[in-house]
């Protein structure tokens, strides 16, 4: 929350990674110290030139959700013809879980979402959609057994407000399939953080077999790749729930209230 941004460069640092950027150029990316401000300070290694085909609002809506989904599929080795299940398909990460799988990786994506969002998830390219509010639809999904090469879970977490899909959905993974999540239980967060030490030092992954909880590691190269998908028209949709002009504090809080409702379809963008 409050990391993504798009804007024009007003100052460039001396780090070698900043050499490709000049004052006045349009960039997008992530500001680790926060981006909901008139000026944001960002590491040059976490920004790239803005996609030429997108406006600032569209570009600002992309980095966290689209890169998270891109990294998830890179980690799982998703490939053409694979079947992927996207849990939370109408949310920020879920939307790009569907579009990247279908348009970039040429996989077949099944999305899980609520009744009111079924048509939306179909409209962004899902091969199939399952309404989690329909008991019969969920039973039918489970009845088909091990059918997915990748399950991308954007919903389950340690928060009791969120449902825990993993126990039931993991049963749908094919042999050697991968369950990858962006949130989870505290024990899995511990493994996630430990693996950042054990993998580079000892080539040993402490995550559970066939399961990985991960943190986004955004880079300029990933942002450039993402921009190329839009400028080549491989990807075209950037669903935005609302654009809020920050002319008063009430506007800021209304945006956070929408986000906390967990019912927003697309991204909430703040404009300054």
């Amino acid at each position: 929350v409050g990391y993504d941004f798009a804007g024009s460069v007003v100052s460039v640092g001396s780090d070698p990674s900043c050499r490709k950027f000049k004052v006045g150029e349009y960039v997008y990316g992530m500001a680790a110290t926060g981006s909901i401000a008139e000026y944001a300070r960002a590491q040059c290694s976490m920004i790239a030139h803005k996609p030429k085909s997108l406006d600032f609002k569209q570009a600002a809506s992309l980095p966290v959700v689209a890169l998270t989904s891109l990294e998830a599929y890179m980690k799982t080795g998703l490939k053409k013809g694979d079947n992927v299940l996207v849990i939370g398909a109408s949310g920020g990460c879920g939307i790009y879980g569907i579009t990247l799988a279908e348009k970039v990786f040429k996989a077949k994506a099944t999305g899980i979402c609520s009744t009111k969002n079924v048509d939306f998830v179909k409209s962004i390219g899902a091969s199939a959609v399952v309404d989690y509010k329909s008991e019969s639809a969920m039973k039918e999904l489970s009845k088909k057994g091990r059918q997915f090469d990748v399950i991308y879970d954007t919903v389950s977490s340690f928060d009791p407000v969120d449902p825990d899909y993993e126990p039931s959905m993991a049963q749908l993974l094919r042999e050697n399939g991968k369950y990858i999540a962006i949130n989870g239980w505290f024990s899995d967060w511990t493994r996630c953080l430990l693996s950042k030490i054990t993998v580079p030092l000892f080539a040993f992954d402490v995550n559970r077999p066939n399961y990985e909880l991960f943190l986004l590691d955004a880079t300029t190269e990933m942002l450039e790749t993402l921009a190329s998908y839009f400028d080549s028209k491989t990807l075209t949709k950037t669903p935005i729930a609302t654009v809020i002009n920050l002319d008063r504090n009430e506007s800021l809080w209304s945006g956070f209230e929408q986000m906390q409702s967990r019912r927003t379809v697309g991204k909430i963008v703040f404009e300054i």
Side-chain angles (χ1 to χ4, degrees):
V1 178
Y3 289 137
D4 317 79
F5 78 93
S8 58
V9 178
V10 296
S11 180
V12 180
S14 58
D15 189 89
S17 63
C18 295
R19 290 173 183 164
K20 61 173 64 179
F21 304 109
K22 298 176 182 178
V23 171
E25 291 184 324
Y26 298 154
V27 296
Y28 81 129
M30 296 171 60
T33 55
S35 63
I36 305 178
E38 291 180 274
Y39 296 95
R41 183 177 181 180
Q43 296 179 15
C44 291
S45 59
M46 296 175 67
I47 67 172
H49 292 102
K50 182 182 74 67
K52 294 181 176 65
S53 57
L54 302 181
D55 62 28
F56 285 109
K57 293 186 284 291
Q58 292 172 313
S61 74
L62 290 175
V64 171
V65 291
L67 290 189
T68 296
S69 299
L70 179 60
E71 184 169 352
Y73 291 152
M74 291 168 63
K75 283 178 171 290
T76 58
L78 186 68
K79 61 187 184 299
K80 184 176 180 179
D82 280 353
N83 289 323
V84 56
L85 178 66
V86 180
I87 302 171
S90 62
C93 289
I95 288 169
Y96 291 98
I98 295 292
T99 57
L100 283 166
E102 291 278 352
K103 304 297 184 181
V104 174
F105 290 87
K106 306 300 183 184
K108 295 181 183 298
T110 296
I112 292 181
C113 65
S114 65
T115 310
K116 68 183 181 69
N117 294 325
V118 167
D119 287 342
F120 169 77
V121 175
K122 287 179 180 177
S123 76
I124 60 174
S127 292
V129 184
V130 179
D131 177 1
Y132 71 78
K133 291 192 173 183
S134 168
E135 188 176 341
S136 61
M138 292 300 287
K139 281 184 177 179
E140 186 63 28
L141 177 67
S142 297
K143 196 187 300 182
K144 294 177 181 177
R146 299 187 178 279
Q147 57 196 287
F148 297 108
D149 302 285
V150 173
I151 295 178
Y152 177 33
D153 188 346
T154 73
V155 175
S156 302
S157 79
F158 57 83
D159 192 327
V161 173
D162 296 322
D164 184 8
Y165 279 96
E166 192 211 342
S168 58
M169 294 297 101
Q171 305 302 312
L172 305 182
L173 271 181
R174 288 174 173 164
E175 187 177 358
N176 299 319
K178 192 67 176 284
Y179 194 108
I180 191 157
I182 63 173
N183 208 340
W185 296 100
F186 291 112
S187 57
D188 287 312
W189 275 118
T190 301
R191 292 187 183 96
C192 169
L193 297 173
L194 279 175
S195 68
K196 288 188 170 292
I197 300 171
T198 61
V199 170
L201 287 181
F202 309 112
F204 180 69
D205 190 349
V206 297
N207 282 295
R208 290 185 281 134
N210 301 324
Y211 176 93
E212 183 174 0
L213 172 64
F214 77 103
L215 286 169
L216 171 62
D217 185 15
T219 64
T220 295
E221 291 72 26
M222 289 178 68
L223 285 159
E224 289 173 341
T225 297
L226 182 61
S228 73
Y229 294 151
F230 283 94
D231 287 341
S232 67
K233 305 301 181 186
T234 302
L235 296 179
T236 57
K237 298 179 184 295
T238 56
I240 293 175
T242 186
V243 177
I244 298 174
N245 193 297
L246 290 183
D247 54 355
R248 59 188 187 279
N249 284 338
E250 288 82 359
S251 298
L252 177 64
W253 296 121
S254 70
F256 278 95
E257 286 170 356
Q258 288 182 53
M259 181 199 69
Q260 290 169 346
S261 74
R262 291 178 164 83
R263 293 295 178 267
T264 302
V265 176
K267 287 281 285 186
I268 298 168
V269 176
F270 295 105
E271 185 175 27
I272 303 174

